[in-house]
Amino acid sequence: MYLLGFDIGSSSVKVSLIAGETGECISSSFYPKQEMKITAKQAGWAEQEPEQWWQNLKLALSDVLNESKVDPKKIDSIGISYQMHGLVMVDKEQQVIRPSIIWCDSRAAAIGEKAILEIGEEKCLQNLLNSPGNFTASKLKWVKENEPDLYARVHKIMLPGDYIAMKLSGDIKTTASGLSEGILWNFNENKVADMLLDYYGFDASFIPEIVPTFSVQGEVSEAAAKELGLAKGIKISYRAGDQPNNALSLNVLNPGEIATTAGTSGVVYGVSDEIKYDPKSRVNTFAHVNHTFDANRLGVLLCINGTGILNSWLNKNAGNGQISYEEMNQLASEIPIGSDGLSILPFGNGAERVLENKNPGSTFAGLNFNIHNKAHLFRAAQEGIVFSFKYGMDIMSTIGIEAKVIRAGKANMFLSPIFRETLAGITGATIELYNTDGSVGAARGAGIGSGYYQSPSEAFSNLKKLETIEPKQADKAALEAAYDNWKKELERVK
């Protein structure tokens, strides 16, 4: 039997098909080949059309089915990973009411700040483990205040993965993990956060039926099967936000384990069994994929919005789109640690939670026209992204998340030797790189949820480690000096 994984990102939609018995990826594809369009009608806004996700999924899935030649009737189940915190609203006919307000949209930050002050900081943090901040619930409140005609049509609200599951099955459902990422879950009561629904004035009927993360949540409908070239009745048996799912894909399920990604945004995600929170909500605590009423499994998440998007911006603007990322890495490797005094703050992709929802923009500091060239920019960008990780990880350590071993897929910025060596060196952590990604992880999750695998250990028995990066003691002093220089510039900007 085979397992299918969908990863609904903001840059692309990736589909992977794995052989259940071996865990081998038989085929994978993604669309679009260039980054997916994000619409920003105003500074700090970010929207995407949900139908865009669906159409790109169809294209990627078509490639996979054509390449693999697998009989769709031999596909056991489907798992879905998706970009977190997005808001999708549908009416009673399951028609999308407006474009999705996605994860990096910061328009609702002030709404969340007001909410925590009026509800009470202690009450919010003790029950929700976070400020309502700029998350899904606050985005819905923005719609209520600013687009009342559209709000009046709302039947259900969903996260992006819930929307894809709806398109596949016709059923509208969600998970406790998903609701927690929208700050709609009360951890002390283990139920929907009525306190926030009441404060924002939301109808409780907006919340879909809640299903376990690992479970048969629906089946591919006849209409979806015909549209996608799949078999009717394939089980939909797993869904999770991209960062909990990335942790799953790296077999990060237990307290003390840490997963990292560095795509458009960058994330460090540590698992804890204690209900703890950052008093300033600079890092956030959500229900992990294996969180249950009986056993706490909480994901403490550091998110840096401006990560790979900075590298992409430099590729287009300093490299004129004419050089590859590998060539950028090679040029950067010719520059010493510290980039000859050039520091880049990567905060140019919306309000940053780690900076208490401030939106300072990106900063280039110490630029000398007689010394620095594009190679310095390429290195300083990678160092700046790593230093933003270090800054956030120091906050994570205050609530018990210590980075000794960090697992990541060998993809995106982890393809760069400079990036991974700088991260190992400045944190002192060993980095382990694996042959997996979000879509493959979602496929394994589907196998767990459908019962094809009897346990997560069986699902990940063939996960392969590709590379281990140890901190280089010889680089420590230079990295610490560069980080101190970077941090001084951050404090000045703040």
Side-chain angles (χ1 to χ4, degrees):
M1 295 297 286
Y2 297 89
L3 304 166
L4 197 56
F6 299 152
D7 187 13
I8 315 301
S10 52
S11 297
S12 65
V13 174
K14 187 169 186 180
V15 174
S16 290
L17 183 72
I18 70 171
E21 186 175 348
T22 65
E24 179 187 359
C25 183
I26 303 301
S27 178
S28 67
S29 182
F30 68 93
Y31 273 90
K33 300 305 180 182
Q34 300 297 321
E35 291 185 0
M36 211 182 323
K37 181 181 179 181
I38 296 177
T39 301
K41 295 180 181 179
Q42 294 187 30
W45 290 23
E47 298 181 351
Q48 287 184 324
E49 290 285 356
E51 181 64 21
Q52 182 182 201
W53 308 329
W54 182 249
Q55 294 302 322
N56 285 317
L57 184 154
K58 284 170 62 176
L59 291 167
L61 178 59
S62 177
D63 281 356
V64 166
L65 294 177
N66 289 334
E67 180 186 14
S68 68
K69 308 299 183 188
V70 164
D71 181 352
K73 292 181 180 178
K74 293 184 178 180
I75 298 173
D76 174 79
S77 49
I78 294 171
I80 302 166
S81 167
Y82 59 88
Q83 49 174 296
M84 296 173 72
H85 316 306
L87 170 65
V88 180
M89 309 185 307
V90 297
D91 61 21
K92 291 181 179 180
E93 284 70 48
Q94 299 189 356
Q95 297 301 304
V96 173
I97 293 169
R98 71 172 325 282
S100 174
I101 303 176
I102 65 170
W103 60 275
C104 55
D105 187 297
S106 54
R107 75 184 72 182
I111 290 173
E113 300 249 339
K114 181 182 177 185
I116 193 170
L117 291 175
E118 295 189 351
I119 296 172
E121 185 174 342
E122 186 175 347
K123 185 176 180 180
C124 274
L125 293 176
Q126 287 185 350
N127 290 279
L128 309 177
L129 307 187
N130 302 283
S131 162
N134 192 41
F135 296 106
T136 312
S138 299
K139 291 169 180 171
L140 180 61
K141 176 64 170 176
W142 183 93
V143 175
K144 182 180 181 183
E145 290 183 348
N146 293 274
E147 299 174 341
D149 291 346
L150 297 181
Y151 181 83
R153 294 171 51 198
V154 173
H155 172 57
K156 297 291 181 185
I157 63 167
M158 290 179 283
L159 296 153
D162 301 330
Y163 168 80
I164 295 298
M166 180 197 78
K167 293 285 285 186
L168 288 168
S169 66
D171 300 325
I172 303 179
K173 298 178 182 179
T174 193
T175 64
S177 178
L179 290 172
S180 77
E181 74 186 60
I183 319 302
L184 286 163
W185 189 253
N186 188 316
F187 283 87
N188 284 326
E189 297 179 357
N190 273 316
K191 67 172 191 174
V192 173
D194 294 331
M195 57 182 277
L196 199 62
L197 296 183
D198 292 343
Y199 172 77
Y200 279 155
F202 299 155
D203 193 317
S205 68
F206 287 0
I207 305 298
E209 177 188 347
I210 300 168
V211 294
T213 296
F214 299 103
S215 65
V216 177
Q217 306 161 356
E219 296 181 347
V220 173
S221 68
E222 184 173 356
K226 185 176 181 180
E227 185 175 0
L228 298 176
L230 293 174
K232 178 186 176 185
I234 295 173
K235 296 182 286 290
I236 302 156
S237 52
Y238 168 80
R239 75 183 78 182
D242 51 10
Q243 300 312 322
N245 176 73
N246 179 65
L248 171 78
S249 72
L250 294 161
N251 198 21
V252 170
L253 294 168
N254 298 307
E257 298 175 341
I258 291 178
T260 313
T261 60
T264 302
S265 64
V267 167
V268 180
Y269 186 97
V271 179
S272 173
D273 58 359
E274 297 182 67
I275 296 180
K276 289 185 175 181
Y277 52 83
D278 173 37
K280 296 182 179 181
S281 287
R282 295 165 296 177
V283 297
N284 301 104
T285 303
F286 305 117
H288 194 27
V289 294
N290 56 339
H291 178 72
T292 66
F293 295 165
D294 301 321
N296 289 328
R297 291 295 181 268
L298 304 173
V300 179
L301 184 149
L302 160 70
C303 180
I304 305 295
N305 288 348
T307 303
I309 194 169
L310 168 59
N311 219 31
S312 172
W313 185 88
L314 284 172
N315 179 273
K316 294 170 185 172
N317 292 280
N320 296 318
Q322 301 298 310
I323 63 175
S324 67
Y325 289 107
E326 187 175 352
E327 289 170 321
M328 289 172 64
N329 294 337
Q330 178 56 44
L331 286 169
S333 71
E334 298 167 6
I335 304 301
I337 292 171
S339 307
D340 289 325
L342 177 62
S343 292
I344 298 180
L345 305 183
F347 307 121
N349 192 29
E352 295 282 0
R353 278 175 257 157
V354 75
L355 303 180
E356 299 179 58
N357 279 325
K358 292 183 175 65
N359 188 3
S362 183
T363 301
F364 291 51
L367 183 63
N368 187 309
F369 300 139
N370 299 308
I371 297 174
H372 299 127
N373 56 40
K374 63 185 179 184
H376 287 87
L377 293 175
F378 298 155
R379 175 153 201 134
Q382 295 199 37
E383 289 181 341
I385 294 163
V386 169
F387 293 161
S388 68
F389 277 32
K390 165 65 174 170
Y391 182 81
M393 290 166 74
D394 286 346
I395 296 170
M396 294 176 75
S397 71
T398 66
I399 54 174
I401 303 295
E402 297 290 345
K404 295 181 179 178
V405 177
I406 297 172
R407 297 178 191 168
K410 192 170 183 180
N412 300 317
M413 296 204 70
F414 279 98
L415 294 171
S416 166
I418 289 173
F419 181 83
R420 56 198 191 222
E421 288 169 10
T422 303
L423 182 60
I426 197 61
T427 62
T430 297
I431 296 174
E432 298 177 348
L433 301 180
Y434 290 84
N435 67 327
T436 191
D437 64 22
S439 58
V440 171
R444 292 180 191 266
I448 298 169
S450 71
Y452 179 86
Y453 296 124
Q454 297 305 305
S455 66
S457 60
E458 181 183 348
F460 292 97
S461 60
N462 44 34
L463 183 65
K464 295 177 183 176
K465 187 193 303 182
L466 300 177
E467 195 171 347
T468 301
I469 298 94
E470 299 286 354
K472 294 180 181 178
Q473 192 64 31
D475 293 345
K476 184 176 180 181
L479 284 171
E480 288 181 347
Y483 177 55
D484 285 344
N485 188 46
W486 181 91
K487 196 157 59 169
K488 286 176 184 174
E489 181 57 27
L490 175 60
E491 293 304 318
R492 185 191 70 78
V493 169
K494 285 173 62 182

